[in-house]
Amino acid sequence: MKKVNLLIVFGMVSSMLQAQDTLSISKNDLLQKVTENNLQIKVAEKSFQSAKADYRQSNALFLPNVNVSHTGILTTNPLMAFGSKLNQEILTASDFNPALLNDPDRTQNFATKIEVQQPLINLDGLYGRQAAKAKMDAFQLQTERTKEYLELEVSKAYMQLQLAYKAVQVLEKANETAQGNLKLVDNYFKNGMLQKTDLLNVQVRVNEISNQLQYAKSNVQNASDYLAFLLNEDMKGKTYKPSESLDNVIAIEAINPTISDSRKDIQAMQKSSEAYKKMFQSSKFGFLPRLNAFGSYELYDQHIFQTSAKGYVVGAQLSWNVFDGYKNIGKTQKAKADFEKAEIETEQYKKQSQLELNKTNRQLVDAENKVNLSQLAFEQSQEAFRIRQNRFKQGLEKTTDLLMAETQMAQKELEHLQAVFEYNFTKQYLQFLTK
């Protein structure tokens, strides 16, 4: 009695541990978690933030550049010494003595300078800013497309987990059936109604199913681990279990078989092409002159951080780089080639996407047909096994025929579930391609 109680307690503890290690999760929970935690999405978001920072740098095209400096010197250089005294406004008539001008005493000077540079007309910079904006938009669209792709991948992984659990159920049921057949054949063998080879054949079949069941349980863990990877979670010693079971029927839907230009990845390619176009235009305007304003406010003294003398400079500069050894010409040619390349790649990507869409659309039709045929085959295999099992009990069927029918029934059920999975994923992938 004590042994029985111990077994009961042990079974309860094992069940509790198993319940702690198995986490039930729904598809909606997965979709929410993958958006928040997936590493690939985080990488895409960081790429967007980097492009956004590049765009912010282009604000320098409109905003002033302000520098503040404090410089101290000690000199006996005639020109520097005279200029320092002049800036400090302490020159006297004696300072014009040629002997002092040519061989001045040691002079120290401290200068505080506030410099402001303000761009006025820089057409190449304006187009460069537009290119940075298009690049930022492209990365934002690509990030959104990455999220859509990860939602599809999570949905696929969730259905794979459902399929893995369903396969375990099918094989457990097949194992029960095989065990029942083994018990029946063993009784016939003991009564001398069957040969030992028949018993061995059934035992081999039982071992095969046990092996398949073990593989199916490993597939459950593999599918669970992949989901954990997508969610960036540590699932060591734990296993996900879907709260919804895998459907064994399909829902037929009509899907538009054409590529939409509003698809995020295609929009991203178009924005990328636009960025290259703006860079090309920027390089062309690099041949034009630039107009910039500048100003400075200066404070001088012979003592540190003192401001006995003050002055300012305000002006504007029109600069024109007429020839730089073909550097601008080569830069323009490169920008033009990059722009034309981007346009060609965008066109190629759209055609390739349409090709993939056409292929997937045909696969959906094939998958629907496969589901219908596999369902019919499974129903026929069930009926065949039922008939052979009844005839075997009456001694009208061979053991090998019964085993073959039982094997075929389990195989056809798994094939039907796989066909349903393929159809549902193909439909979701087709929706992804037309999204």
Side-chain angles (χ1 to χ4, degrees):
M1 186 66 181
K2 291 182 178 180
K3 290 183 178 180
V4 173
N5 291 335
L6 286 174
L7 288 174
I8 294 175
V9 172
F10 179 76
M12 292 176 62
V13 172
S14 299
S15 299
M16 292 174 62
L17 290 175
Q18 185 177 4
Q20 290 175 351
D21 293 340
T22 302
L23 304 178
S24 178
I25 191 165
S26 66
K27 185 177 179 180
N28 290 334
D29 293 336
L30 288 175
L31 294 176
Q32 181 179 357
K33 286 185 176 182
V34 74
T35 303
E36 298 172 353
N37 303 330
N38 182 262
L39 295 178
Q40 188 173 347
I41 291 178
K42 290 182 179 180
V43 170
E45 289 174 344
K46 294 302 178 183
S47 297
F48 165 68
Q49 292 174 9
S50 176
K52 186 177 181 180
D54 287 338
Y55 175 65
R56 284 183 174 178
Q57 292 182 41
S58 65
N59 289 336
L61 184 66
F62 307 108
L63 302 179
N65 181 23
V66 181
N67 288 317
V68 178
S69 64
H70 186 76
T71 306
I73 63 170
L74 186 65
T75 182
T76 58
N77 180 282
L79 182 61
M80 295 291 292
F82 184 83
S84 296
K85 287 185 177 182
L86 184 62
N87 284 331
Q88 294 172 16
E89 302 176 359
I90 58 175
L91 278 178
T92 62
S94 61
D95 291 318
F96 290 91
N97 184 344
L100 291 178
L101 287 175
N102 293 325
D103 189 17
D105 295 333
R106 188 174 64 177
T107 303
Q108 65 181 22
N109 180 53
F110 293 93
T112 301
K113 181 182 286 189
I114 303 173
E115 295 179 287
V116 178
Q117 295 176 331
Q118 175 63 56
L120 296 178
I121 301 177
N122 296 283
L123 294 178
D124 58 334
L126 183 62
Y127 281 101
R129 174 179 171 84
Q130 293 175 358
K133 177 66 165 58
K135 178 184 175 183
M136 181 186 71
D137 293 340
F139 274 103
Q140 184 178 19
L141 290 166
Q142 195 61 48
T143 300
E144 294 175 3
R145 186 60 175 176
T146 301
K147 291 180 180 179
E148 292 177 353
Y149 167 74
L150 264 300
E151 289 176 359
L152 172 69
E153 191 67 15
V154 163
S155 179
K156 176 184 176 182
Y158 188 72
M159 288 191 296
Q160 286 176 332
L161 185 63
Q162 290 175 317
L163 181 63
Y165 271 101
K166 194 67 176 179
V168 169
Q169 294 177 6
V170 171
L171 290 172
E172 285 178 344
K173 180 181 177 182
N175 187 50
E176 292 177 2
T177 303
Q179 292 289 349
N181 290 334
L182 176 61
K183 184 177 180 181
L184 181 63
V185 170
D186 185 54
N187 290 332
Y188 286 168
F189 172 71
K190 290 178 180 178
N191 293 326
M193 299 173 61
L194 291 175
Q195 298 180 0
K196 190 172 184 179
T197 54
D198 295 321
L199 178 62
L200 292 175
N201 286 333
V202 177
Q203 289 174 341
V204 168
R205 174 57 184 162
V206 170
N207 292 334
E208 287 178 351
I209 293 179
S210 297
N211 191 40
Q212 292 174 2
L213 182 59
Q214 182 59 43
Y215 274 111
K217 291 180 179 179
S218 296
N219 287 334
V220 167
Q221 190 62 53
N222 292 338
S224 179
D225 290 346
Y226 183 60
L227 267 179
F229 165 73
L230 292 176
L231 301 180
N232 191 28
E233 292 187 351
D234 184 12
M235 291 294 293
K236 186 176 181 181
K238 300 177 182 178
T239 305
Y240 278 131
K241 184 176 182 180
S243 57
E244 303 101 345
S245 60
L246 180 69
D247 294 331
N248 57 0
V249 294
I250 59 175
I252 308 298
E253 293 183 19
I255 300 176
N256 183 18
T258 57
I259 291 291
S260 173
D261 286 339
S262 62
R263 215 174 76 176
K264 298 294 190 302
D265 54 339
I266 293 179
Q267 286 184 326
M269 292 287 290
Q270 292 171 340
K271 282 292 183 180
S272 179
S273 179
E274 180 184 344
Y276 280 110
K277 180 180 179 180
K278 296 299 182 182
M279 289 301 298
F280 172 47
Q281 293 173 330
S282 174
S283 63
K284 288 196 298 183
F285 280 101
F287 293 99
L288 299 180
R290 301 178 180 181
L291 179 63
N292 299 297
F294 62 88
S296 65
Y297 186 71
E298 303 166 0
L299 304 99
Y300 298 96
D301 204 285
Q302 49 188 325
H303 301 292
I304 188 171
F305 298 125
Q306 298 298 314
T307 59
S308 60
K310 305 176 182 64
Y312 68 87
V313 176
V314 176
Q317 181 186 46
L318 181 67
S319 61
W320 193 354
N321 190 351
V322 179
F323 182 73
D324 58 359
Y326 285 101
K327 181 179 179 180
N328 270 345
I329 295 176
K331 181 180 178 182
T332 302
Q333 291 174 342
K334 181 179 184 300
K336 180 181 179 182
D338 289 340
F339 165 55
E340 292 174 347
K341 176 186 174 183
E343 280 196 320
I344 294 172
E345 287 177 342
T346 301
E347 185 66 22
Q348 180 190 32
Y349 187 78
K350 290 174 66 175
K351 290 183 177 180
Q352 188 175 5
S353 298
Q354 183 63 54
L355 184 65
E356 180 70 12
L357 179 61
N358 295 338
K359 175 184 173 182
T360 306
N361 198 40
R362 288 190 292 268
Q363 287 177 338
L364 185 65
V365 176
D366 294 338
E368 179 185 351
N369 184 56
K370 185 177 180 180
V371 168
N372 295 332
L373 292 178
S374 63
Q375 182 177 6
L376 179 61
F378 174 51
E379 293 172 354
Q380 291 173 342
S381 65
Q382 283 181 309
E383 181 63 18
F385 174 72
R386 185 188 66 80
I387 293 173
R388 289 190 182 276
Q389 190 177 41
N390 292 335
R391 288 174 59 84
F392 178 76
K393 291 178 180 179
Q394 299 172 8
L396 301 176
E397 288 285 346
K398 297 179 182 178
T399 307
T400 54
D401 294 334
L402 178 66
L403 293 176
M404 186 179 298
E406 185 269 329
T407 302
Q408 187 181 49
M409 181 180 65
Q411 180 182 352
K412 293 305 177 183
E413 184 173 5
L414 291 175
E415 288 179 357
H416 176 61
L417 294 173
Q418 180 67 30
V420 171
F421 163 78
E422 291 176 1
Y423 176 85
N424 289 333
F425 172 70
T426 303
K427 184 174 69 172
Q428 290 187 5
Y429 183 53
L430 191 62
Q431 292 170 342
F432 170 75
L433 293 177
T434 56
K435 196 170 185 179

